[in-house]
Amino acid sequence: MARMRVRIGVGTLGLLAGLGAPHLAAQSWALPASDPVGIARSGAGVAYGNSLEAAAINPALLATLRDDRSAYLSAGMELQDANAALQSNQQTQVSSNRNRFLPAMGAAWRLNPTLVLGLKLDEPFMRHVEMPMEYTGRFQGQAIDLATRRLEGQIGWAASPNWAFGASLGLTRVQYSWDNMVRTVINNPNSPGGTTPLGLMETDLHQEGDKLAPSYSLGFRWALDSRWTIGGTYVGAIKTTLPLSANYGPNGPNYYALSGYGSAPTGTSTSVKPGTQLQPSSGGITLPGKLTLGLRQRVNTLFTWEADVRYMMGAQMELPGYPTATPAGGGPVSGSGENTAFRSGFGLSLMGELTIMKNWVARLGVSLDPGLLPSSNVEPLVGGAKSSGMSAGVGYRVFGGEVNVGYQYRQVQVTDVQNLDGYWKSTGYGTNPGSVTRVGGMGHLWSVGFKKAF
């Protein structure tokens, strides 16, 4: 009988993996989790009781913990890249600036049989892409770097053996930077009035800033019986105004002919007048909130599965605008991207957890996230297509605690768009109509941690 249960559990985990494979789409801004257990579960777990890692997703689950005091600490890496292939010449440009350190921490203290306090550190959103100078969409954007580190205090309260509620409140440090290229006309100072165009200067405008923003979440858990549980959370949007500063980035200046192609005439680089003023955008940024509802079934003592449905409030999302350069005696120039409204939508996470032996636990999960932008506006920096991932992990009880390892593979949906083959002549910016750029990419999450009860 025990062997049959193991086979059923392994088969179910394999089914989860198979379900995820054909649906792999695009890499999401939102990370499924920062700790190894949450990563291995693909972010599912709002109804998963007796799990300190799941309590990082739903604070109501603190009230289900059996240990009076427990904590975990983990570290890993988040890796992502993007690529853009211009179909007219089959040249593919691949991003750099790919790796980020991924720490996480969680702790819980039981005050009495019904009240538990908690603390968590994680990274809810992350995006970092830097495209090379040859990228034809560089006037819309060449580099983005967003990091969010969230520290929140939590509380969980068991109103009854079947009902629990929780809340968390804290601060999230939002760090953001953006680069895009612009061109300005350089006039010949030896011409009458010094107003005859000589060539074009291309340079990198960079803006950056960071700020602490309030963040919070609310959650509940309802145990229908000893095997079935429903849980839900509401995670509020992270909203603030960043104190951005603007300066020149590392790329440029470069000089071109008035046509926008080829070398600039002799003397263009020595004819640049000083006094260009740089101005950042207003700095408003909003990272969307979400609603999640999950259903968990404890099939037997060996195997448990959970499915979570979430509504990502992408319509709340807002990013800072472009920095602006105003040359002496000229008009302002800025980024050429389009201000596109983001969209909301539904996503799904599904996980299975199997106790293989006394000290070993195996986990598999898949996730799907909604697209934030229509396919016609997807691009390498902001992304915006549908999101998904497939994950796996193991836990091993040792040293009086548990060592956990989690990994998730994330792949970007290949999307054809027609607004990224840009040029900038003396008459201004434009795009080549009908020119197709194929946007894709991939990413990885991994983490190793240790959990212990005290």
Side-chain angles (χ1 to χ4, degrees), residues 180-322:
N180 64 271
M181 306 300 291
V182 296
R183 287 182 174 180
T184 59
V185 176
I186 304 302
N187 294 324
N188 188 346
N190 298 320
S191 65
T195 59
T196 302
L198 182 62
L200 298 175
M201 180 184 74
E202 180 178 314
T203 190
D204 178 2
L205 297 186
H206 174 86
Q207 64 180 10
E208 63 179 359
D210 67 90
K211 190 176 181 180
L212 292 174
S215 57
Y216 70 95
S217 66
L218 304 171
F220 79 92
R221 175 186 179 267
W222 178 26
L224 302 176
D225 55 34
S226 61
R227 297 187 180 273
W228 292 90
T229 305
I230 293 175
T233 59
Y234 170 72
V235 180
I238 301 171
K239 183 175 183 179
T240 188
T241 299
L242 299 171
L244 295 177
S245 61
N247 50 63
Y248 292 110
N251 299 312
N254 300 290
Y255 300 93
Y256 299 89
L258 290 173
S259 65
Y261 304 96
S263 301
T266 302
T268 301
S269 62
T270 60
S271 302
V272 180
K273 292 183 178 180
T276 299
Q277 301 295 317
L278 303 183
Q279 181 69 34
S281 69
S282 60
I285 186 170
T286 302
L287 301 173
K290 64 180 177 181
L291 279 166
T292 305
L293 187 65
L295 175 66
R296 175 200 184 191
Q297 183 194 16
R298 181 173 174 268
V299 179
N300 50 48
T301 58
L302 300 177
F303 183 73
T304 300
W305 65 269
E306 178 170 332
D308 290 0
V309 177
R310 59 185 168 275
Y311 180 69
M312 182 67 73
M313 302 176 186
Q316 298 175 335
M317 188 165 173
E318 176 190 5
L319 295 178
Y322 288 94

Side-chain angles (χ1 to χ4, degrees), residues 11-27:
T12 306
L13 290 176
L15 179 60
L16 290 177
L19 287 173
H23 296 289
L24 286 175
Q27 192 169 339

Side-chain angles (χ1 to χ4, degrees), residues 286-454:
T286 302
L287 301 173
K290 64 180 177 181
L291 279 166
T292 305
L293 187 65
L295 175 66
R296 175 200 184 191
Q297 183 194 16
R298 181 173 174 268
V299 179
N300 50 48
T301 58
L302 300 177
F303 183 73
T304 300
W305 65 269
E306 178 170 332
D308 290 0
V309 177
R310 59 185 168 275
Y311 180 69
M312 182 67 73
M313 302 176 186
Q316 298 175 335
M317 188 165 173
E318 176 190 5
L319 295 178
Y322 288 94
T324 301
T326 306
V333 291
S334 187
S336 56
E338 302 174 359
N339 293 321
T340 303
F342 293 90
R343 306 186 301 186
S344 302
F346 288 93
L348 171 69
S349 290
L350 181 64
M351 61 79 61
E353 186 163 300
L354 173 67
T355 300
I356 302 176
M357 291 181 287
K358 180 180 178 180
N359 294 326
W360 286 93
V361 177
R363 303 177 179 98
L364 279 181
V366 295
S367 63
L368 299 170
D369 285 317
L372 296 174
L373 291 173
S375 58
S376 59
N377 293 110
V378 170
E379 51 88 34
L381 268 67
V382 177
K386 293 180 180 180
S387 308
S388 67
M390 185 166 60
S391 59
V394 295
Y396 178 61
R397 297 180 180 91
V398 67
F399 305 129
E402 183 174 292
V403 175
N404 289 292
V405 179
Y407 167 79
Q408 184 182 57
Y409 174 70
R410 317 170 85 200
Q411 183 176 350
V412 175
Q413 182 183 25
V414 176
T415 306
D416 291 339
V417 295
Q418 297 186 3
N419 61 352
L420 294 179
D421 185 10
Y423 61 82
W424 200 317
K425 304 178 181 179
S426 59
T427 54
Y429 176 77
T431 57
N432 294 309
S435 182
V436 175
T437 301
R438 182 160 292 176
V439 179
M442 62 175 293
H444 306 271
L445 278 176
W446 66 264
S447 183
V448 179
F450 182 70
K451 177 174 65 174
K452 186 176 177 61
F454 302 95

Side-chain angles (χ1 to χ4, degrees), residues 93-141:
Q93 306 300 330
V94 181
S95 68
S96 57
N97 191 28
R98 301 178 181 180
N99 306 333
R100 290 294 182 274
F101 178 57
L102 187 67
M105 179 270 291
W109 303 267
R110 181 173 297 279
L111 299 181
N112 58 51
T114 61
L115 194 64
V116 182
L117 297 181
L119 183 70
K120 72 168 184 178
L121 172 70
D122 64 355
E123 302 241 7
F125 295 94
M126 189 177 290
R127 186 75 180 175
H128 46 94
V129 174
E130 182 176 350
M131 299 299 291
M133 278 295 297
E134 296 78 13
Y135 171 51
T136 56
R138 63 189 182 276
F139 303 114
Q140 295 192 31

